[in-house]
Amino acid sequence: MTFTMMQAPWPPEVVGRLNAYQAVGFFHPYTCGGNHDGTPPSLVATPEGWVCPDAGCTYTQDWAHTAHGDGRAAAEADILADMLGAGRATAGAAATAEQVATIVGSHRFSYANEHDLHIALAAILADSGFEVRQEVPLSTGGRIDLMTGTVGIEVKVNGRASEVMRQVARYAACPDITALVLITSRAAHRTLDRTIGTDGTVNGKPVTIVWISQVVG
Protein backbone atom coordinates (compact mmCIF):
# COMPACT_ATOMS: atom_id res chain seq x y z
CA MET A 1 0.00 0.00 0.00
CA THR A 2 1.47 3.36 -1.05
CA PHE A 3 0.86 6.20 1.37
CA THR A 4 0.41 9.36 -0.68
CA MET A 5 -1.46 12.31 0.78
CA MET A 6 -4.74 13.90 -0.24
CA GLN A 7 -5.79 17.35 0.91
CA ALA A 8 -9.30 18.48 1.87
CA PRO A 9 -11.87 19.43 0.68
CA TRP A 10 -13.11 15.88 0.10
CA PRO A 11 -16.22 14.67 -1.77
CA PRO A 12 -18.95 12.82 0.21
CA GLU A 13 -17.80 9.35 -0.90
CA VAL A 14 -14.28 10.00 0.41
CA VAL A 15 -15.66 11.36 3.69
CA GLY A 16 -17.67 8.15 4.07
CA ARG A 17 -14.63 5.96 3.41
CA LEU A 18 -12.47 7.89 5.86
CA ASN A 19 -15.07 7.51 8.61
CA ALA A 20 -15.35 3.81 7.75
CA TYR A 21 -11.57 3.56 8.17
CA GLN A 22 -11.87 5.21 11.59
CA ALA A 23 -14.39 2.55 12.66
CA VAL A 24 -12.43 -0.46 11.38
CA GLY A 25 -10.73 -1.27 14.70
CA PHE A 26 -7.65 -2.97 13.22
CA PHE A 27 -5.63 0.12 12.30
CA HIS A 28 -4.58 3.16 14.27
CA PRO A 29 -7.21 5.86 13.65
CA TYR A 30 -6.51 9.52 13.00
CA THR A 31 -6.56 11.12 16.45
CA CYS A 32 -6.82 14.64 17.79
CA GLY A 33 -3.61 16.57 18.30
CA GLY A 34 -5.24 18.91 20.79
CA ASN A 35 -4.84 18.90 24.56
CA HIS A 36 -6.84 15.99 26.00
CA ASP A 37 -6.50 13.94 29.17
CA GLY A 38 -5.73 10.29 28.46
CA THR A 39 -6.15 8.79 24.99
CA PRO A 40 -6.96 11.48 22.39
CA PRO A 41 -10.32 11.01 20.64
CA SER A 42 -10.56 9.72 17.09
CA LEU A 43 -11.19 12.44 14.51
CA VAL A 44 -14.32 12.68 12.37
CA ALA A 45 -14.05 13.29 8.62
CA THR A 46 -16.05 16.13 7.06
CA PRO A 47 -15.90 17.63 3.55
CA GLU A 48 -13.63 20.38 4.95
CA GLY A 49 -11.26 17.93 6.67
CA TRP A 50 -10.90 16.20 10.03
CA VAL A 51 -12.49 17.66 13.16
CA CYS A 52 -12.39 16.66 16.81
CA PRO A 53 -15.71 15.36 18.19
CA ASP A 54 -15.08 16.83 21.65
CA ALA A 55 -17.11 19.95 22.34
CA GLY A 56 -14.88 22.98 22.71
CA CYS A 57 -11.90 21.46 20.88
CA THR A 58 -11.02 23.41 17.73
CA TYR A 59 -8.40 20.99 16.36
CA THR A 60 -8.63 20.36 12.60
CA GLN A 61 -6.53 18.48 10.06
CA ASP A 62 -6.75 18.91 6.29
CA TRP A 63 -4.92 15.80 5.03
CA ALA A 64 -5.31 12.03 4.97
CA HIS A 65 -3.55 9.11 3.35
CA THR A 66 -4.99 8.41 -0.09
CA ALA A 67 -5.26 4.68 0.64
CA HIS A 68 -7.57 5.44 3.56
CA GLY A 69 -9.90 7.52 1.42
CA ASP A 70 -10.21 5.18 -1.54
CA GLY A 71 -11.44 2.24 0.54
CA ARG A 72 -8.38 -0.01 0.24
CA ALA A 73 -7.57 -0.03 3.96
CA ALA A 74 -11.15 -0.78 5.03
CA ALA A 75 -11.40 -3.56 2.46
CA GLU A 76 -8.12 -5.02 3.69
CA ALA A 77 -9.45 -4.97 7.26
CA ASP A 78 -12.60 -6.83 6.20
CA ILE A 79 -10.47 -9.50 4.54
CA LEU A 80 -8.35 -9.79 7.66
CA ALA A 81 -11.45 -9.99 9.87
CA ASP A 82 -12.76 -12.88 7.78
CA MET A 83 -9.38 -14.58 7.99
CA LEU A 84 -9.07 -14.12 11.74
CA GLY A 85 -12.64 -15.05 12.59
CA ALA A 86 -15.70 -13.25 13.87
CA GLY A 87 -15.34 -9.76 15.24
CA ARG A 88 -12.20 -7.72 15.61
CA ALA A 89 -10.32 -10.21 17.74
CA THR A 90 -9.65 -13.86 17.07
CA ALA A 91 -11.22 -16.65 19.02
CA GLY A 92 -8.86 -18.88 20.94
CA ALA A 93 -6.63 -18.89 23.95
CA ALA A 94 -4.20 -16.12 24.77
CA ALA A 95 -0.60 -16.85 23.84
CA THR A 96 2.23 -16.52 26.33
CA ALA A 97 5.19 -14.30 25.55
CA GLU A 98 7.28 -17.41 24.98
CA GLN A 99 4.75 -18.78 22.49
CA VAL A 100 4.65 -15.47 20.61
CA ALA A 101 8.45 -15.40 20.42
CA THR A 102 8.61 -18.98 19.17
CA ILE A 103 5.92 -18.48 16.51
CA VAL A 104 7.30 -15.19 15.24
CA GLY A 105 10.90 -16.36 15.36
CA SER A 106 10.10 -19.34 13.14
CA HIS A 107 8.80 -17.20 10.26
CA ARG A 108 10.34 -15.00 7.61
CA PHE A 109 8.35 -11.90 6.75
CA SER A 110 7.99 -10.01 3.49
CA TYR A 111 6.63 -6.52 4.06
CA ALA A 112 6.82 -3.04 2.62
CA ASN A 113 6.14 -1.14 5.85
CA GLU A 114 5.23 -1.56 9.51
CA HIS A 115 1.52 -1.72 8.66
CA ASP A 116 2.09 -4.79 6.46
CA LEU A 117 4.09 -6.42 9.24
CA HIS A 118 1.25 -5.86 11.76
CA ILE A 119 -1.16 -7.64 9.42
CA ALA A 120 1.23 -10.56 8.90
CA LEU A 121 1.89 -10.98 12.62
CA ALA A 122 -1.81 -10.92 13.50
CA ALA A 123 -2.56 -13.50 10.83
CA ILE A 124 0.23 -15.83 11.95
CA LEU A 125 -0.85 -15.72 15.59
CA ALA A 126 -4.47 -16.31 14.57
CA ASP A 127 -3.49 -19.20 12.31
CA SER A 128 -1.72 -20.70 15.32
CA GLY A 129 -5.04 -20.66 17.21
CA PHE A 130 -4.44 -17.69 19.46
CA GLU A 131 -6.60 -14.68 20.28
CA VAL A 132 -5.09 -11.45 18.98
CA ARG A 133 -6.17 -7.80 18.90
CA GLN A 134 -4.65 -4.90 17.02
CA GLU A 135 -4.12 -1.26 18.01
CA VAL A 136 -5.34 -1.81 21.57
CA PRO A 137 -6.07 1.31 23.70
CA LEU A 138 -4.39 1.21 27.11
CA SER A 139 -5.81 2.51 30.37
CA THR A 140 -2.73 4.68 30.86
CA GLY A 141 -3.12 6.28 27.43
CA GLY A 142 -1.85 5.45 23.98
CA ARG A 143 -2.18 2.21 22.04
CA ILE A 144 -0.04 -0.87 21.67
CA ASP A 145 0.32 -2.60 18.30
CA LEU A 146 -0.98 -6.05 19.27
CA MET A 147 -2.17 -7.91 22.34
CA THR A 148 -2.95 -11.53 23.10
CA GLY A 149 -4.54 -11.81 26.50
CA THR A 150 -2.45 -9.51 28.69
CA VAL A 151 0.73 -9.93 26.64
CA GLY A 152 1.55 -6.73 24.77
CA ILE A 153 3.34 -6.92 21.41
CA GLU A 154 5.10 -3.88 19.99
CA VAL A 155 6.51 -3.86 16.45
CA LYS A 156 9.39 -1.60 15.44
CA VAL A 157 11.04 -1.24 12.04
CA ASN A 158 12.28 2.30 12.70
CA GLY A 159 13.29 4.54 15.58
CA ARG A 160 16.29 5.01 17.83
CA ALA A 161 16.96 2.43 20.52
CA SER A 162 16.56 5.03 23.28
CA GLU A 163 13.11 6.02 21.99
CA VAL A 164 12.01 2.40 21.75
CA MET A 165 13.22 1.73 25.29
CA ARG A 166 11.21 4.66 26.64
CA GLN A 167 8.12 3.31 24.89
CA VAL A 168 8.72 -0.18 26.29
CA ALA A 169 9.04 1.30 29.78
CA ARG A 170 5.72 3.15 29.38
CA TYR A 171 3.96 -0.01 28.29
CA ALA A 172 5.56 -2.01 31.09
CA ALA A 173 4.18 0.49 33.61
CA CYS A 174 0.62 -0.11 32.35
CA PRO A 175 -1.47 -2.44 34.56
CA ASP A 176 -3.23 -3.83 31.46
CA ILE A 177 0.00 -5.57 30.43
CA THR A 178 1.68 -8.45 32.30
CA ALA A 179 4.44 -9.18 29.76
CA LEU A 180 5.86 -7.55 26.65
CA VAL A 181 7.24 -8.84 23.37
CA LEU A 182 9.22 -6.40 21.23
CA ILE A 183 9.50 -7.47 17.59
CA THR A 184 12.10 -5.56 15.61
CA SER A 185 14.09 -5.75 12.40
CA ARG A 186 16.43 -2.87 13.29
CA ALA A 187 20.08 -3.70 13.86
CA ALA A 188 20.31 -0.54 15.98
CA HIS A 189 17.87 -2.09 18.46
CA ARG A 190 20.23 -4.94 19.32
CA THR A 191 21.65 -2.77 22.09
CA LEU A 192 18.32 -2.99 23.92
CA ASP A 193 19.33 -6.31 25.48
CA ARG A 194 21.89 -4.40 27.53
CA THR A 195 19.35 -1.86 28.83
CA ILE A 196 16.88 -4.44 30.12
CA GLY A 197 17.43 -5.60 33.68
CA THR A 198 19.52 -8.68 34.36
CA ASP A 199 16.31 -10.49 35.27
CA GLY A 200 14.84 -9.66 31.86
CA THR A 201 12.26 -7.21 33.20
CA VAL A 202 11.35 -3.55 32.79
CA ASN A 203 9.24 -1.97 35.53
CA GLY A 204 8.71 -5.46 36.91
CA LYS A 205 7.31 -6.87 33.63
CA PRO A 206 9.17 -9.54 31.62
CA VAL A 207 10.29 -8.27 28.22
CA THR A 208 11.18 -10.57 25.32
CA ILE A 209 12.92 -9.23 22.21
CA VAL A 210 12.45 -11.06 18.91
CA TRP A 211 14.74 -10.18 16.01
CA ILE A 212 13.32 -10.74 12.54
CA SER A 213 14.91 -10.46 9.12
CA GLN A 214 13.80 -7.47 7.10
CA VAL A 215 12.67 -8.97 3.82
CA VAL A 216 11.18 -6.07 1.93
CA GLY A 217 8.58 -7.00 -0.63
Side-chain angles (χ1 to χ4, degrees):
M1 187 177 292
T2 301
F3 287 97
T4 56
M5 300 294 185
M6 58 179 185
Q7 298 289 134
W10 299 316
E13 61 271 20
V14 170
V15 171
R17 290 172 190 145
L18 288 172
N19 284 323
Y21 171 86
Q22 292 291 84
V24 157
F26 275 127
F27 310 133
H28 196 298
Y30 293 84
T31 56
C32 183
N35 187 17
H36 295 274
D37 292 332
T39 303
S42 296
L43 296 174
V44 176
T46 73
E48 291 73 36
W50 297 105
V51 298
C52 179
D54 279 10
C57 181
T58 59
Y59 180 85
T60 60
Q61 181 174 306
D62 65 356
W63 61 268
H65 293 293
T66 303
H68 300 161
D70 64 13
R72 279 180 286 166
E76 187 178 59
D78 287 339
I79 293 169
L80 181 59
D82 290 340
M83 179 170 59
L84 297 184
R88 294 309 186 196
T90 61
T96 65
E98 291 77 13
Q99 288 170 322
V100 172
T102 298
I103 292 167
V104 173
S106 66
H107 283 78
R108 287 177 62 83
F109 297 91
S110 177
Y111 58 94
N113 50 53
E114 195 167 284
H115 163 80
D116 289 350
L117 185 54
H118 287 187
I119 297 293
L121 289 167
I124 286 168
L125 290 171
D127 286 345
S128 299
F130 293 112
E131 173 264 344
V132 61
R133 291 158 285 148
Q134 288 204 74
E135 297 291 351
V136 181
L138 300 175
S139 61
T140 51
R143 296 170 184 262
I144 192 165
D145 292 333
L146 300 162
M147 284 193 75
T148 175
T150 57
V151 175
I153 304 168
E154 183 66 13
V155 183
K156 289 296 177 190
V157 299
N158 290 301
R160 292 182 297 181
S162 58
E163 295 170 345
V164 173
M165 194 61 207
R166 285 194 293 270
Q167 191 171 16
V168 166
R170 287 197 302 271
Y171 289 149
C174 178
D176 306 345
I177 293 173
T178 58
L180 276 165
V181 179
L182 173 65
I183 299 170
T184 178
S185 62
R186 290 278 289 173
H189 296 165
R190 292 185 180 274
T191 60
L192 291 173
D193 277 335
R194 299 196 294 269
T195 60
I196 294 175
T198 55
D199 60 353
T201 67
V202 175
N203 287 333
K205 308 287 178 65
V207 177
T208 303
I209 302 177
V210 181
W211 312 104
I212 61 172
S213 299
Q214 186 173 11
V215 182
V216 179

